[in-house]
Amino acid sequence: MYEIWLGINIFYELALMYLPLLFVLFVVWAGLMVYAFQKKAHWSKGVKGAIIGGIIATIIAFLVVPGITKSSLSELGYWFDYVALLGIAAMYGAVAAALIWPLSSPKAR
């Protein structure tokens, strides 16, 4: 249980550290949403592109994040290491999907 609590605290501290970047990402996402609403996007047709983009971003993040942190996949020895890495990669994928969705939604007729 301690490892889970420690992981939650680490994610919280990282979010606080990168708060300006998160704000910029939110502003970009909000701008993309305004753009999509102005073109009257067909949202359900854009889901497929967003999911594919999110999966690709998740896979890339899963492979790249250990290198960014000066580690490697071979150094992951504990189950929680894999869970934490998968959680970080999934968040990158979710952000990518949220940014891709308004762009991949075609104009409604």
Side-chain angles (χ1 to χ4, degrees):
M1 187 68 185
Y2 171 75
E3 292 87 2
I4 294 171
W5 182 250
L6 180 64
I8 291 170
N9 283 331
I10 290 170
F11 287 135
Y12 174 74
E13 291 295 327
L14 285 172
L16 284 179
M17 187 170 65
Y18 292 110
L19 200 56
L21 176 64
L22 293 173
F23 179 73
V24 169
L25 277 172
F26 175 76
V27 169
V28 168
W29 177 77
L32 289 172
M33 294 300 286
V34 167
Y35 166 74
F37 279 119
Q38 284 179 347
K39 74 173 188 174
K40 295 181 174 51
H42 197 268
W43 293 102
S44 62
K45 290 186 180 178
V47 172
K48 183 178 178 182
I51 290 174
I52 291 171
I55 290 171
I56 291 170
T58 301
I59 292 169
I60 291 171
F62 189 84
L63 298 173
V64 171
V65 166
I68 292 172
T69 60
K70 295 184 175 72
S71 183
S72 69
L73 288 174
S74 64
E75 292 183 22
L76 301 176
Y78 190 54
W79 69 270
F80 192 73
D81 296 338
Y82 287 102
V83 171
L85 178 59
L86 188 60
I88 292 168
M91 292 282 56
Y92 277 108
V95 169
L99 293 174
I100 292 171
W101 192 14
L103 294 174
S104 65
S105 299
K107 186 176 182 177
R109 296 178 191 217

